[in-house]
Amino acid sequence: MRTIIEPFRIKVVEPIRMTSREERAALIRQAGYNPFRLKAEHVLIDLLTDSGTGAMSTHQWAGVMEGDESYAGARSFFRFEEAVRGIFGHTHVIPTHQGRASERLLCRAVVKAGDVIPGNTHFDTTRANIEDTGAEARDMVIPEGLDPDLDHPFKGNIDLADLERCIAEVGRERVPFVLITVTNNSGGGQPVSMANLRGTRAICERFHIPLLLDAARFAENAFFIKLREPGYADKSPREIACEMFALSDGAVMSMKKDAFGNIGGVISLNSDEWAEKIRTALILTEGFITYGGLAGRDLEALAIGIEEILDEEYLKYRIASTAYVGNHLAQAGVPLLKPIGGHAVYINGRRFCDHLTDDKFPGWALSVALYEHVGVRACEIGNVMFGTQDRATGAWNWPALDLVRLAIPRRVYTQSHMDYVVEGITELYQHRREIRGLRFVHRPAVLPHFTATFELV
Ligand SMILES: *Cc1c(COP(=O)(O)O)cnc(C)c1O
């Protein structure tokens, strides 16, 4: 059999509400042409993010009932700790309420002004948390990773020569750690190879710098290694994941991704000194060290979810179903980032809207048009999210890629939902020259995409 089916059946359903094109045109205008500002109930198929939007399994829901809500030393914490440690292998497991809380706690504890954090491509909240300490987040993905048309199995790899040069240039005392994001979300959900992790490890060891992973999508990365890297075809996703983590000194993770959580995060570390500092800060803002801002039931659901995510049948379906959307769009001529990533399909906004200049935000304009046309919500990862303006001259600096991400929530939508998405985007592509550009009405200084408002130009 060649057909890959959803490896689950549906026990509970959540109705979605249809809207008309006229309704949607008014709604997106009222939202300041920012899809983040729409009410979710006005969205038909929500591909804004795969973060916290997954469907939990019957086992996870059963776990929710088992949650131990004790303030300190809850049974659910120990179950969580065991599940995370069983995969990550580090000494300290510190729960947090989500990925960015992990990042903030880590950065506050060990990063100082003037430091440089090298990485493949830092995720937006990671970059913001690094910069908030006065340090610099420096991206150095391999050049292939910046070419949207190039097919390469591991476009998330860090450029090892650049990494070495960077550390030599700024000095190891100003590099508190190296952070590799698996898979590389901002670079298109592209995986990092084991060989590249090993190479990074060797450089880090030579300079005595800890290597950390941003492990939000560690399981998808492990499965890509299985599919694409010689020598891994016969290993289980779990074995591969363990090998990835064994190369690291620690990890931060948003458990809203590859742990099937609706909320949750973790910091996993070998360093006693860092763990001590982080736990002290954790108590100030998140909660006691055995719950870190989560309920016992959340810890329980995450402990089960992080095991389920490594199921090979699930990962096979996950990667195949994302590729299904990408391949059908590519067949219709829609310009995409290649190859198709694990959690999302990325449309090349600049090329889709090649009649719009960068200052009219082609990717963002596409995401607005997509909502208006078929009620599908997607997320721009491009000019609005990463564009920066020179304070002195007012000149804009645009990111290498202006993408629109169709992020696929885990175990939520069926193939016919995806067929609808493909048809809608294909139709829009045929009328793409009618898509209008935008300009800012209000641009917040930090993470502008979440709350900015726009007008059509
Ligand atoms: C989602 C994400 C984060 C931030 O996690 P939140 O749970 O949204 O705070 C960090 N890094 C990567 C790679 C992510 O995908």
Side-chain angles (χ1 to χ4, degrees), residues 51 98-101 103 123 125-126 181 183 185 214 216-217 254 256-257 264:
S51 177
Q98 63 181 84
R100 69 197 70 183
E103 294 159 2
F123 182 65
T125 60
T126 321
T181 304
T183 58
N185 184 357
D214 177 342
R217 297 180 184 79
S254 166
K256 301 169 73 173
K257 315 328 185 348

Side-chain angles (χ1 to χ4, degrees), residues 49-52 96-103 121-127 129 179-186 214-217 252-257 262-265 343 405 410 450:
T49 175
D50 63 322
S51 177
T96 63
H97 80 274
Q98 63 181 84
R100 69 197 70 183
S102 303
E103 294 159 2
T121 313
H122 294 289
F123 182 65
D124 58 349
T125 60
T126 321
R127 167 172 291 280
N129 273 301
L179 184 69
I180 303 291
T181 304
V182 292
T183 58
N184 193 24
N185 184 357
S186 304
D214 177 342
R217 297 180 184 79
V252 284
M253 179 181 180
S254 166
M255 300 184 86
K256 301 169 73 173
K257 315 328 185 348
N262 296 128
I263 196 73
H343 67 294
R405 183 183 72 178
R410 294 170 180 74
F450 285 132

Side-chain angles (χ1 to χ4, degrees), residues 102-417:
S102 303
E103 294 159 2
R104 180 175 168 83
L105 289 160
L106 174 74
C107 288
R108 283 294 168 109
V110 309
V111 180
K112 56 186 190 313
D115 285 352
V116 174
I117 312 292
N120 44 354
T121 313
H122 294 289
F123 182 65
D124 58 349
T125 60
T126 321
R127 167 172 291 280
N129 273 301
I130 291 169
E131 289 173 351
D132 191 53
T133 65
E136 186 196 335
R138 206 178 283 181
D139 294 342
M140 44 193 82
V141 75
I142 53 169
E144 292 89 336
L146 297 175
D147 180 347
D149 302 316
L150 201 84
D151 217 328
H152 179 287
F154 293 105
K155 283 174 101 170
N157 284 354
I158 189 169
D159 190 312
L160 296 174
D162 278 357
L163 174 62
E164 209 164 341
R165 217 173 297 125
C166 166
I167 300 171
E169 175 202 313
V170 306
R172 65 158 293 268
E173 60 294 339
R174 280 177 56 209
V175 182
F177 57 85
V178 172
L179 184 69
I180 303 291
T181 304
V182 292
T183 58
N184 193 24
N185 184 357
S186 304
Q190 302 293 330
V192 176
S193 72
M194 195 71 82
N196 190 251
L197 287 175
R198 245 183 255 121
T200 310
R201 171 86 212 166
I203 292 171
C204 287
E205 264 177 13
R206 185 137 40 82
F207 289 97
H208 303 285
I209 296 172
L211 170 59
L212 304 189
L213 299 183
D214 177 342
R217 297 180 184 79
F218 76 95
E220 290 172 8
N221 200 89
F223 197 69
F224 277 122
I225 288 177
K226 182 179 170 75
L227 292 178
R228 297 178 184 173
E229 193 159 351
Y232 288 93
D234 296 327
K235 295 213 159 115
S236 70
R238 191 188 179 93
E239 286 168 326
I240 298 170
C242 289
E243 192 176 329
M244 286 162 52
F245 285 112
L247 293 166
S248 75
D249 302 287
V252 284
M253 179 181 180
S254 166
M255 300 184 86
K256 301 169 73 173
K257 315 328 185 348
D258 274 1
F260 290 123
N262 296 128
I263 196 73
V266 72
I267 307 173
S268 172
L269 288 172
N270 284 332
S271 164
D272 298 340
E273 188 198 328
W274 287 13
E276 169 76 18
K277 277 193 189 168
I278 287 168
R279 286 199 175 107
T280 306
L282 186 84
I283 292 173
L284 280 181
T285 60
E286 294 273 303
F288 188 64
I289 58 172
T290 59
Y291 73 87
L294 294 169
R297 54 180 169 271
D298 299 325
L299 292 167
E300 203 77 36
L302 294 169
I304 297 164
I306 204 164
E307 300 278 351
E308 283 181 357
I309 203 91
L310 287 167
D311 175 58
E312 194 160 333
E313 286 308 315
Y314 161 75
L315 285 168
K316 196 161 126 192
Y317 141 80
R318 170 73 173 162
I319 301 303
S321 59
T322 305
Y324 174 89
V325 177
N327 293 338
H328 280 80
L329 287 174
Q331 272 162 29
V334 176
L336 302 177
L337 183 80
K338 282 186 218 129
I340 307 303
H343 67 294
V345 174
Y346 293 72
I347 303 174
N348 185 332
R350 271 182 201 135
R351 202 162 302 156
F352 197 105
C353 295
D354 57 7
H355 59 296
L356 298 177
T357 47
D358 273 318
D359 59 325
K360 297 199 175 63
F361 306 120
W364 193 274
L366 167 57
S367 72
V368 167
L370 182 60
Y371 173 71
E372 234 184 86
H373 187 60
V374 280
V376 172
R377 178 156 70 168
C379 178
E380 186 247 43
I381 300 195
N383 288 7
V384 171
M385 193 183 273
F386 294 124
T388 52
Q389 204 170 12
D390 187 285
R391 281 220 193 93
T393 65
W396 282 93
N397 185 15
W398 305 117
L401 301 174
D402 182 47
L403 304 171
V404 175
R405 183 183 72 178
L406 309 169
I408 320 245
R410 294 170 180 74
R411 307 190 290 207
V412 170
Y413 294 113
T414 63
Q415 187 172 332
S416 59
H417 289 118

